[in-house]
Amino acid sequence: MDSLDDVIADVLGVAPTRLADAMTPEDLPVWDSLNHMRLITAVEEEFDVSFTMSEIESIQSIGRLRELVAGKGGDE
Amino acid sequence: VRLGKIARRFFMPRIVSTLVYYIRFRCFISPRAEVDLSRSLTIGKRTKVSSFCKIKVNGRARIGSDVSIATGCFVGAAQGGIEIGDFCLIGPNCTIVSGTYNTSRLDVPFAKQGRSSKGTRIGHNVMIGANSVVLDGAVIGDGVIISPGSVVSGRIDTKTVVQGNPAAEIFRRRA
């Protein structure tokens, strides 16, 4: 299983080492609404978790995504 | 009949089809759009067809109510027919067709091999992004979002978001 950073890096096309908790869609132009949906789907499939729509909307930073995945028992 | 169709396409002022369709269906066809006058075409109330669209009707075509077809779209209904549900939003420069040329023979030009048509079905409340293409045989479920520039040729499940060529699901919409 890939780590969460690997999945994010793969979907958004950035190096895993660049990813930081504070990183937001504003820091990554490639993180647009469509890639946001691709990211959610990839994370859900990889870690066998499921997000609600309000959780999906609340994911506005890498840190928030990490927090949600950890909270749902997804192994980073 | 063929001559009549040619005459209608070439010599009839566009404003005539705008008025005819408004009176028959209470829909809004731009006078700058080119919509075949045909009994096989039904359009729902309040549907808007913007300028520079072309709707060719050689089979049955049904466009639902409250549909918006943005500028520059081409809708070509062949024998298999086209159905577009209610409340669909179709972005600029989209192409929706329900026919294709046969290509099975190598020794005959495509244009001489005849055409086939399975029909194209688009559900209710579908949003089709700009420059997308919906090919013959496509069956699109209700509530689907098609990302701009996608090419749809198969079955798309309801309430999904699809992207790419061929369009693939990237997300399942949820409450």
Side-chain angles (χ1 to χ4, degrees), chain A residues 65-76:
Chain A
L65 180 56
R66 284 172 174 159
E67 184 187 306
L68 277 174
V69 173
K72 287 177 180 290
D75 184 18
E76 282 194 50

Side-chain angles (χ1 to χ4, degrees), chain A residues 34 37-38 41 44 51 53, chain B residues 147 161 163 170-171 174-175:
Chain A
L34 277 174
M37 288 188 276
R38 288 180 59 221
T41 304
E44 284 182 336
F51 299 113
M53 204 61 211
Chain B
S147 165
V161 181
Q163 182 185 34
I170 60 164
F171 187 70
R174 62 198 84 181

